Amino acid sequence: MNRWDILHILNTLPFDRGDYWLVSGGAMVLYGLREETSDIDLGCSKRLADALEQQGCRVIRLEDGTRQICYQPGIELFENWFPNQSELVGSVPVLSLEGLLAMKKSLGREKDLADIRRIEDLLRGARQAQD
């Protein structure tokens, strides 16, 4: 999925934009750090997680008690995953670059190392431009 695909899908979701935020690969695409991603991962509020569970979406309980919700193929939501760290990119709520960096580091996966370097480089460039 490229930027256009992600925006199109998000614009068709029946969710209040205050209840979710784009994370992971989709956020990387919207920040221009990647050309595409294979799926859409969203952080979401407890309210949205409750509603989706009541609608019958498949729910996986995570170790910390939060929920991973399989909304449809290619779209998963994670309850309270880095909440209150989003910003608008265009009209889409997206995990901030600092939050995205923290998320990638917390996952500790080999496949995230290149993403971590890209985010750090972008943040370093932004800081240097401010000085």
Side-chain angles (χ1 to χ4, degrees), residues 59-100:
V59 172
I60 300 167
R61 285 277 174 191
L62 302 176
E63 288 181 16
D64 65 0
T66 62
R67 295 167 282 188
Q68 175 182 342
I69 300 157
C70 305
Y71 179 68
Q72 63 187 42
I75 301 177
E76 291 188 331
L77 295 95
F78 297 84
E79 180 183 12
N80 289 326
W81 204 23
F82 292 88
N84 306 315
Q85 294 186 44
S86 65
E87 59 189 26
L88 289 178
V89 176
S91 62
V92 177
V94 180
L95 184 62
S96 69
L97 283 170
E98 292 82 4
L100 189 57

Side-chain angles (χ1 to χ4, degrees), residues 97 121-131:
L97 283 170
D121 289 346
L122 183 62
L123 287 170
R124 190 173 14 264
R127 285 186 200 112
Q128 290 173 348
Q130 289 178 347
D131 293 343

Side-chain angles (χ1 to χ4, degrees), residues 38-56:
S38 60
D39 58 8
I40 293 177
D41 292 328
L42 302 170
C44 73
S45 66
K46 180 182 182 322
R47 180 174 71 159
L48 180 55
D50 289 343
L52 293 174
E53 185 170 16
Q54 289 173 357
Q55 291 173 18

Side-chain angles (χ1 to χ4, degrees), residues 3-22:
R3 179 183 181 87
W4 187 90
D5 297 328
I6 293 166
L7 292 173
H8 176 74
I9 290 167
L10 292 178
N11 284 327
T12 64
L13 292 176
F15 308 151
D16 182 319
R17 289 217 168 156
D19 283 330
Y20 74 87
W21 50 96
L22 185 64

